[in-house]
């Protein structure tokens, strides 16, 4: 999916990026989908993916903090 985005084939990148998120969701995947959705005018979906990506980043930060505190 990302290779297609880099090649300028944004529309073609959507299905592979969606499939990757279904198989193994990541914050980066949500943010990549947000970018491609916005590029093709799917703003509601872009907003949803941006929110999901931000939530995933926040969860990851919280997990790291817990690991640091718990490691004492």
């Amino acid at each position: 999916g990302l290779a297609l985005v880099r090649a300028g084939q944004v529309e073609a990148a959507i299905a592979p990026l969606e499939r990757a998120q279904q198989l193994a969701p990541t914050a980066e995947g949500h943010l990549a989908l947000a970018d491609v959705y916005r590029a093709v005018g799917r703003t509601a979906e872009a907003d949803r993916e941006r929110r999901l990506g931000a939530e995933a980043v926040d969860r990851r930060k919280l997990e790291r903090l817990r690991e640091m505190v718990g490691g004492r």
Side-chain angles (χ1 to χ4, degrees):
L2 293 177
L4 291 168
V5 171
R6 286 191 283 277
Q9 299 177 33
V10 177
E11 188 78 43
I14 293 172
L17 289 173
E18 289 173 336
R19 181 72 177 138
Q21 276 302 96
Q22 290 170 351
L23 295 173
T26 65
E28 294 81 6
H30 286 298
L31 298 175
L33 271 173
D35 290 342
V36 297
Y37 285 152
R38 189 158 313 283
V40 298
R42 294 167 62 175
T43 56
E45 291 163 290
D47 292 343
R48 183 191 73 234
E49 291 297 329
R50 177 87 41 215
R51 186 185 75 253
L52 291 170
E55 290 171 0
V57 167
D58 289 344
R59 277 192 307 276
R60 194 165 51 201
K61 287 179 184 177
L62 185 56
E63 289 169 8
R64 285 187 198 148
L65 286 173
R66 286 183 179 146
E67 289 172 7
M68 291 171 51
V69 171
R72 288 185 184 185

